[in-house]
Amino acid sequence: MSKCHNSSIETDVAQGMHYVDTLTGSVVPPIVPSTTFARDENYALVSPDHSYGRDENPSYQTAEKMLMRMEGGSDAMLFSSGMAAATAVVQSLEPGSHIVIPSVMYWGLRKWMVAFCARWGIELDQFDSADPDDLADKVKAGTTSLIWIETPTNPTWDIIDIETAAEIAHGAGAVLAVDSTVPTPVLTRPIDFGADIVMHSATKYLNGHGDVVAGALITAKNDECWEKVAAVRAEAGAILGSFEAWLLQRGMRTLFMRVRQASATALAIAEHFDHYNGIETVRYPGLESHPGHEVAKKQMLGGYGGMLSLCIAGGEAAALEMIKRCNVFIRATSLGGVESLIEHRYSIEGPNSPIPPNLVRISVGAERVDDLIADLEQALAS
Ligand SMILES: Cc1ncc(COP(=O)(O)O)c(C=O)c1O
């Protein structure tokens, strides 16, 4: 049973869409591990929506409804990872298509897209994520079928104007897909700005506790394009486990408070270390000096996210030395959890990376802001 009473998105999400089990009164949805679903003596499915665990899973329902509600979409699908969600969109395209992606985005996906498109016969162009005019130049009207963007871009935090990208995409007859992992629907709802598909690495903020690898797609419309993407999940089978889907709905119930707290702490850190001794630049869209600040103000509502990067004076060696000295920040990859992480992306991505070697990426968690600032201060001072 789930009844909504014209309450706000935040309230609906905190209550798992007002979930109350009709059989037991449980306020937490059950985990349904069954891989198959019975038919009656007339061979009709006992529950018309459920036949086999790769097509549909009752354990997904609460999480998918929460995602639809938060993003303002008409349908949502969980996947086994953020990569599985993103690659399903690209795999739904025909060979001969043309796609446009930013020069800076989650590097693992960019790497996969470049290799897959070459193999699959899809033409791929990259636009300069720091240049607001470059996207329009790279799009080919009538030929481009997908524009993929990520904003803020990980890990330089350039801002891409979603509304402009949607106008360009639709003017060319293309679909706009937005990787919205970093802002989450708490801060940005891409569909409100014209996007067709929203993608999340639910591994990050949506789950928020570093214990699930998951992905999600949300669509503005149940159209032919969405049907093709849904077929990729059902047929290729990159589905999430029932327990992971359950953990995800539990994590999302606290999404609003986690993201707001992380955003406030990240802004305080960014302001504290702006023009600080030993730091060349602070990259954070909440700073007025950030080139994308005005666009960020338009499309990031209520905060600028929990991710920022510090470019350290003294280059790569100084950046690695500073990371080495951190005691509170944990040296690890990933983002969006309750524990703050610090990372040197250039070491992970290697010499072909567009990321400056002196860039240190920070994912702000739920710790006290003064502990985090003190840790960075001592790491810079030593
Ligand atoms: C912005 C962004 N998109 C997509 C992904 C891929 O997600 P996953 O690791 O869940 O496959 C990541 C992972 O780091 C990411 O940071």
Side-chain angles (χ1 to χ4, degrees):
M1 180 175 77
S2 83
K3 277 196 200 131
C4 290
H5 306 274
N6 298 324
S7 40
S8 65
I9 297 174
E10 215 173 318
T11 295
D12 293 346
V13 168
Q15 296 190 351
M17 304 306 287
H18 305 269
Y19 185 87
V20 179
D21 192 86
T22 40
L23 216 57
T24 63
S26 162
V27 297
V28 174
I31 302 171
V32 182
S34 188
T35 56
T36 192
F37 299 88
R39 293 171 182 271
D40 66 15
E41 56 280 13
N42 301 314
Y43 218 65
L45 285 164
V46 172
S47 165
D49 289 339
H50 302 116
S51 143
Y52 182 56
R54 180 159 39 73
D55 306 321
E56 274 305 326
N57 184 331
S59 300
Y60 292 0
Q61 276 171 7
T62 303
E64 289 180 344
K65 277 187 196 158
M66 288 162 85
L67 287 164
M68 278 159 64
R69 177 79 174 112
M70 286 193 285
E71 293 289 6
S74 61
D75 200 6
M77 277 190 289
L78 300 185
F79 286 80
S80 54
S81 65
M83 283 297 286
T87 57
V89 176
V90 181
Q91 284 172 331
S92 73
L93 302 176
E94 300 297 327
S97 310
H98 176 240
I99 76 171
V100 183
I101 66 169
S103 54
V104 176
M105 57 181 271
Y106 169 56
W107 79 293
L109 182 55
R110 186 165 49 84
K111 202 170 104 194
W112 179 89
M113 281 187 178
V114 169
F116 177 82
C117 288
R119 249 189 354 258
W120 192 246
I122 294 175
E123 198 192 341
L124 179 145
D125 275 311
Q126 300 188 30
F127 69 95
D128 181 351
S129 55
D131 177 354
D133 299 324
D134 198 33
L135 172 59
D137 292 344
K138 296 285 164 30
V139 170
K140 301 178 188 177
T143 306
T144 305
S145 43
L146 174 69
I147 296 178
W148 182 278
I149 63 170
E150 178 183 305
T151 180
T153 61
N154 179 7
T156 55
W157 318 119
D158 300 324
I159 297 292
I160 298 169
D161 187 328
I162 302 171
E163 204 170 11
T164 305
E167 278 163 21
I168 295 170
H170 299 155
V175 162
L176 176 68
V178 181
D179 180 342
S180 206
T181 299
V182 168
T184 80
V186 175
L187 306 177
T188 302
R189 300 201 330 157
I191 291 172
D192 290 350
F193 296 97
D196 302 289
I197 292 179
V198 182
M199 174 255 155
H200 288 281
S201 166
T203 315
K204 312 297 193 284
Y205 290 100
L206 293 186
N207 179 61
H209 293 79
D211 49 15
V212 171
V213 174
L217 293 176
I218 301 97
T219 185
K221 292 187 285 301
N222 287 52
D223 55 9
E224 199 190 326
C225 160
W226 182 247
E227 275 170 26
K228 285 186 186 164
V229 179
V232 175
R233 187 185 77 170
E235 290 160 20
I239 53 163
L240 193 63
S242 300
F243 180 55
E244 285 73 16
W246 183 88
L247 278 172
L248 178 58
Q249 66 77 34
R250 185 179 69 164
M252 285 194 294
R253 288 176 182 234
T254 55
L255 182 68
F256 280 81
M257 53 181 118
R258 285 188 285 104
V259 169
R260 285 183 186 143
Q261 162 89 32
S263 290
T265 307
L267 179 62
I269 294 174
E271 285 172 343
H272 184 86
F273 289 102
D274 199 20
H275 306 296
Y276 194 88
N277 200 16
I279 293 185
E280 260 172 21
T281 356
V282 176
R283 292 180 182 241
Y284 187 66
L287 293 178
E288 276 175 29
S289 55
H290 186 286
H293 182 65
E294 285 309 311
V295 177
K297 248 171 42 187
K298 177 182 74 166
Q299 65 192 28
M300 299 185 82
L301 309 173
Y304 298 94
M307 298 301 301
L308 73 151
S309 294
L310 308 175
C311 292
I312 308 297
E316 182 177 2
L320 285 167
E321 189 56 30
M322 179 255 180
I323 291 174
K324 186 173 146 188
R325 290 174 183 153
C326 285
N327 299 317
V328 177
F329 281 88
I330 297 168
R331 286 172 290 276
T333 195
S334 201
L335 56 101
V338 287
E339 58 286 298
S340 291
L341 305 179
I342 194 156
E343 199 186 15
H344 187 243
R345 288 301 308 166
Y346 187 81
S347 295
I348 304 286
E349 298 185 23
N352 294 329
S353 166
I355 309 310
N358 67 339
L359 183 146
V360 170
R361 188 183 83 175
I362 286 175
S363 169
V364 173
E367 305 92 336
R368 280 179 62 103
V369 63
D370 42 3
D371 287 336
L372 298 177
I373 288 179
D375 194 36
L376 294 173
E377 277 181 345
Q378 67 77 29
L380 284 159
S382 313

